[in-house]
Amino acid sequence: MLLLCCPLLLLLLPPSSRPQKLPTRDEELFQMQIRDKAFFHDSSVIPDGAEISSYLFRDTPKRFFFVVEEDNTPLAVTVTPCDAPLEWKLSVQELPEEASGEGSGEPEPLEQQKQQITNEEGTELFSYKGNDVEYFVSSSSPSGLYQLDLLSTEKDTHFKVYATTTPESDQPYPELPYDPRIDVTSLGRTTVTLAWKPSPTASLLKQPIQYCIVINKEHNFKSLCAVEAKLSSDDAFMMAPKPGLDFSPFDFAHFGFPSDNNSGKERGFLKSSSKFGRQTSSKPRVDLHKVCIGNKNIFTVSDLKPDTQYYFDMFAVNTNTNMSTAYIGTFARTKEEAKQKTVELKDGKVTDVFIKRRGAKFLRFAPVSSHQKVTFSVHSCLDAVQIQVRRDGKLLLSQNVEGVRQFQLRGKAKAKYLIRLKGSKKGASMLKILATTRPNKQSFPSLPEDTRIKAFDKLRTCSSVTVAWLGTQERNKFCIYKREVDDNYNEEQKKREQNQCLGPDTRKKSEKVLCKYFHSQNIQKAVTTETIRGLQPGKSYLLDVYVIGHGGHSVKYQSKLVKTRKFC
C-alpha cells in the first residue's frame, strides 16, 4: 500500500475535477523518488519506507501528510526528537469518494494528486509529548489521508520521521535483545568496562550491525539523533579501534586530561574537518564523545577521572539503512583515588621520602609553638620533583626542585602546613625534606648554582688529572672520590648513578682521595682546584665531590668522567 503525500497547502477539491484513483505504491517509482533527495527536501511529503529529517522553528507547527489507500493496511509511524521535546499528533480523515473510482492505475503526477485532498480536520489516532522515540503501530489501519502535526515549544530543533505500510518486511531499525540494558562489568579509578547483549538483527537476521558508544558527564541520550545534535558538526566521529586496543576517547583535552596531538594518528581517528566554511575553533568543545566499535559487545573506556560520574549510551546501527536503536543507557561513578597516608614532619628532623613514578606523597607539618617564619629544605636525589605547600588550605608555594632548594615562608600562630610532593614522569623519585621554625637550623649544606666538576685537559698526565669546582661563602667540608671504570663507560651509565643523596659512607675507603674545608667571602673567587695523583696511564676514572653540611648531611656534585694520557 502507498504512503502518499501532499504539501502543506490550503487544498480544496475543485468542482471541475474528474474522478481519479490515487496510485498504489509503484516500487520502481518509489525507489527513484528515494534516490532523488530533492523530491522530499523541505516538503510535507512522507515517503513509504524511508526516514526523513526535518527542522522545526520554536512555536511554529509543521504538518506532514500521507495516504493509505486501502482498509486493513498495516501501518507504523516513528518520530525521533533530536535535541528538544516534541508535541506530535497523528490523525486521519476519509479520502474523497471520487478517489475510489476507476482510474488508469498508473502513477499520477504529484500536482494532480494535490487537487484530490481536502483540508478538513480528521480523527485523532495518537498523540505524544516528550523527547522519547515514540511509535504508532497498527496491524489494521483504515484508508484515508493521514496528518502528522508536530510542534516544538522549547526551541528550534531537528527531528526524524519514518512511516511504512510494510513494517513486517522493512524492519529498518535494529531489533533490541530481550534484555536491552548495558551492564557495567568492571569499575576502576580511571576505567569502566561495559557489556551488552547483541542485537537479534545481527545474530539471527545476519544484517550488518555496528555498535556506537556515547560517553558524557551530563545525562543519558534517548537517540543517536540527539547525540549528533549535541555534538558540533565539526567534531570528528571515531573509527573502530585497532584489534586488541580498546578506544580511549579521553586522551585529548576533554574531562580535564592533557591532549596528545599524536594520539589520534596512533589510534586511527578521523581528522576533524571544517564544514560550510566554519572554523572548528569557533565552537566550544563539549564533554561528549561518540565512538563506533564494530560488532563486538564488550568494551573498556579508559583514562577517566577518578570519583567522577559518567553516563554511557549504546546504539545499534544498521549500516545498510544508517538507522539506529538505543539500548537502555547506564551510568557509573569511577572509584576514588587511593587514600594517601600523611607523613608527619618533626621540627628540624630530616625525613626521607620515596615516590613512585608519576606518584605523589603528602606530608604534614604542625609546629608546636608560635613562629614568625618556617623554612622548608628539599634535597631531590634524582630527577626534579614538584613541591606544593598549603597553610590551612591556602596555597603558599608551588615549585619544581632539582638538587637542594630552600624555601622560607611567613609563619602564623597555630598554623598547619600540608606539603604535596609529586614525582617525576621518567621514573621513581627520592628526596630528603626538612621543615623547621628555627632559621639557624640548617641540615643541608649550601650549594653553588653550578655543581659541575671541571677537568683541565692540558694538565692531564699519564698518572694524574687536575679538576676544579665551585664553593660558597659558607665554610663546608668537601671530599673527593675516584673510581676506575671501563673505557666503554658512557653518559647513560653515569646518569643511573646520579643519586645525590648517597653519601661518602656508601663508598669504599680505597676510593677516597682527600677531604678539605673550603669557602670564600668573595663568591666570585669561591673556586678550588685539586690534582688527583697515582692514576694508571690510559685509564678512565669517575670522579665525585661531596659537600658535607654542619648537620652531617652530604650532597654530591655532578660526576665527572676523566681519562689519563696513555703516552707521556
Side-chain angles (χ1 to χ4, degrees):
M1 287 297 99
L2 173 71
L3 285 174
L4 186 63
C5 58
C6 282
L8 183 57
L9 299 169
L10 185 61
L11 303 175
L12 297 173
L13 184 66
S16 60
S17 294
R18 61 183 177 83
Q20 295 185 10
K21 182 180 179 181
L22 291 172
T24 56
R25 169 163 157 177
D26 182 289
E27 192 64 29
E28 183 178 351
L29 176 63
F30 168 71
Q31 293 297 337
M32 178 274 293
Q33 293 172 340
I34 293 302
R35 288 192 297 269
D36 183 8
K37 300 299 182 184
F39 184 82
F40 299 112
H41 179 67
D42 197 26
S43 75
S44 300
V45 174
I46 300 181
D48 190 353
E51 186 179 63
I52 63 169
S53 299
S54 192
Y55 193 80
L56 274 175
F57 291 103
R58 179 184 174 187
D59 294 330
T60 304
K62 200 165 193 176
R63 175 174 290 177
F64 290 84
F65 295 93
F66 58 88
V67 170
V68 174
E69 185 181 349
E70 296 181 2
D71 288 333
N72 302 317
T73 298
L75 177 63
V77 178
T78 303
V79 177
T80 303
C82 290
D83 51 350
L86 296 180
E87 298 177 21
W88 63 272
K89 177 180 70 174
L90 182 66
S91 56
V92 62
Q93 62 180 356
E94 293 183 0
L95 290 172
E97 293 184 4
E98 291 83 350
S100 61
E102 293 185 359
S104 64
E106 296 296 323
E108 297 176 355
L110 187 60
E111 291 302 318
Q112 293 184 25
Q113 296 168 7
K114 292 177 185 178
Q115 300 175 5
Q116 298 177 322
I117 307 303
T118 68
N119 66 333
E120 297 176 3
E121 290 296 325
T123 303
E124 183 176 315
L125 299 176
F126 183 81
S127 64
Y128 174 76
K129 181 178 180 180
N131 59 358
D132 283 325
V133 179
E134 195 55 68
Y135 312 86
F136 170 80
V137 180
S138 174
S139 59
S140 178
S141 296
S143 62
L145 170 66
Y146 286 74
Q147 296 177 176
L148 179 64
D149 295 286
L150 301 104
L151 177 68
S152 172
T153 58
E154 187 174 298
K155 63 177 181 178
D156 300 348
T157 183
H158 292 273
F159 64 93
K160 294 184 178 183
V161 176
Y162 173 79
T164 180
T165 55
T166 55
E168 290 298 322
S169 60
D170 284 1
Q171 296 186 346
Y173 295 98
E175 186 181 347
L176 289 177
Y178 67 91
D179 182 2
R181 293 174 297 179
I182 304 171
D183 295 321
V184 177
T185 61
S186 177
L187 191 64
R189 292 192 296 272
T190 60
T191 61
V192 174
T193 299
L194 308 171
W196 57 94
K197 293 176 174 62
S199 165
T201 305
S203 57
L204 299 179
L205 301 180
K206 305 301 180 184
Q207 292 191 26
I209 298 295
Q210 74 168 342
Y211 299 100
C212 295
I213 298 176
V214 173
I215 308 104
N216 79 105
K217 295 196 291 186
E218 295 180 0
H219 55 76
N220 287 111
F221 288 87
K222 298 181 179 180
S223 70
L224 201 52
C225 174
V227 173
E228 292 168 351
K230 179 74 172 178
L231 283 164
S232 165
S233 61
D234 296 319
D235 282 343
F237 292 140
M238 298 76 171
M239 297 170 62
K242 296 178 181 179
L245 283 179
D246 273 358
F247 167 65
S248 171
F250 305 102
D251 282 345
F252 30 96
H254 300 294
F255 300 93
F257 285 87
S259 172
D260 182 354
N261 294 330
N262 295 322
S263 61
K265 297 178 183 178
E266 292 172 359
R267 303 192 182 201
F269 304 158
L270 291 176
K271 292 182 179 179
S272 297
S273 60
S274 180
K275 297 181 181 180
F276 310 115
R278 294 177 300 174
Q279 298 297 318
T280 57
S281 59
S282 64
K283 288 200 170 191
R285 301 302 296 261
V286 292
D287 286 345
L288 171 68
H289 300 275
K290 167 191 167 186
V291 53
C292 296
I293 60 169
N295 59 4
K296 64 179 181 177
N297 62 334
I298 187 168
F299 187 75
T300 298
V301 183
S302 59
D303 291 335
L304 304 176
K305 277 188 175 181
D307 194 26
T308 303
Q309 182 158 298
Y310 292 94
Y311 294 84
F312 304 95
D313 293 289
M314 172 63 58
F315 301 93
V317 182
N318 187 326
T319 56
N320 282 343
T321 64
N322 205 31
M323 296 166 75
S324 60
T325 305
Y327 280 65
I328 297 175
T330 189
F331 60 89
R333 178 174 287 274
T334 49
K335 291 183 178 180
E336 294 182 4
E337 285 278 16
K339 294 291 184 181
Q340 290 275 3
K341 282 188 176 182
T342 302
V343 179
E344 293 285 343
L345 296 178
K346 295 183 178 180
D347 197 331
K349 184 177 179 181
V350 175
T351 301
D352 294 305
V353 181
F354 175 81
I355 308 172
K356 294 180 180 178
R357 178 176 176 265
R358 294 178 180 267
K361 283 288 179 70
F362 291 89
L363 302 93
R364 182 173 174 270
F365 181 52
V368 294
S369 58
S370 60
H371 55 284
Q372 293 183 339
K373 293 181 180 180
V374 61
T375 302
F376 293 95
S377 300
V378 181
H379 181 190
S380 176
C381 307
L382 298 171
D383 294 313
V385 296
Q386 184 189 61
I387 179 173
Q388 287 185 344
V389 179
R390 294 178 184 272
R391 184 185 63 204
D392 300 330
K394 182 181 179 181
L395 183 65
L396 302 180
L397 171 70
S398 181
Q399 290 278 336
N400 288 329
V401 175
E402 284 187 277
V404 176
R405 290 286 302 274
Q406 183 174 291
F407 305 98
Q408 196 169 74
L409 306 175
R410 182 176 297 176
K412 187 178 179 182
K414 298 182 181 180
K416 293 180 176 61
Y417 300 86
L418 182 66
I419 302 98
R420 180 179 184 266
L421 299 168
K422 187 176 181 181
S424 168
K425 296 179 181 179
K426 300 176 183 178
S429 300
M430 290 187 292
L431 58 94
K432 295 177 181 288
I433 184 169
L434 176 141
T436 182
T437 56
R438 293 167 284 177
N440 297 328
K441 183 71 174 180
Q442 299 294 333
S443 290
F444 298 136
S446 59
L447 288 176
E449 290 186 5
D450 190 346
T451 59
R452 292 176 298 175
I453 302 171
K454 178 178 175 57
F456 297 96
D457 185 64
K458 291 183 179 181
L459 299 180
R460 279 192 309 146
T461 70
C462 292
S463 61
S464 68
V465 293
T466 301
V467 294
W469 63 90
L470 298 178
T472 64
Q473 293 173 316
E474 180 183 334
R475 188 172 184 269
N476 286 315
K477 183 181 179 181
F478 293 86
C479 293
I480 187 165
Y481 284 73
K482 63 174 173 60
R483 177 165 64 91
E484 186 178 335
V485 295
D486 296 333
D487 288 339
N488 57 0
Y489 188 89
N490 54 38
E491 289 296 320
E492 186 62 31
Q493 290 173 286
K494 188 174 75 171
K495 188 176 181 181
R496 289 199 296 265
E497 299 179 5
Q498 286 299 320
N499 186 344
Q500 292 187 347
C501 295
L502 295 178
D505 54 320
T506 63
R507 304 297 295 262
K508 296 178 181 179
K509 288 184 178 181
S510 59
E511 296 177 349
K512 183 178 179 180
V513 177
L514 59 87
C515 291
K516 67 177 183 179
Y517 287 90
F518 163 72
H519 78 290
S520 175
Q521 294 300 323
N522 185 347
I523 195 65
Q524 303 296 329
K525 296 182 179 180
V527 182
T528 186
T529 61
E530 195 65 44
T531 299
I532 296 98
R533 306 180 190 279
L535 307 179
Q536 298 297 315
K539 298 293 184 180
S540 297
Y541 294 86
L542 194 67
L543 302 182
D544 289 306
V545 170
Y546 297 88
V547 54
I548 303 169
H550 301 301
H553 293 281
S554 63
V555 180
K556 185 164 71 74
Y557 278 45
Q558 297 179 42
S559 299
K560 181 65 177 179
L561 186 64
V562 296
K563 189 174 184 179
T564 56
R565 296 187 185 276
K566 192 170 185 180
F567 302 104
C568 296

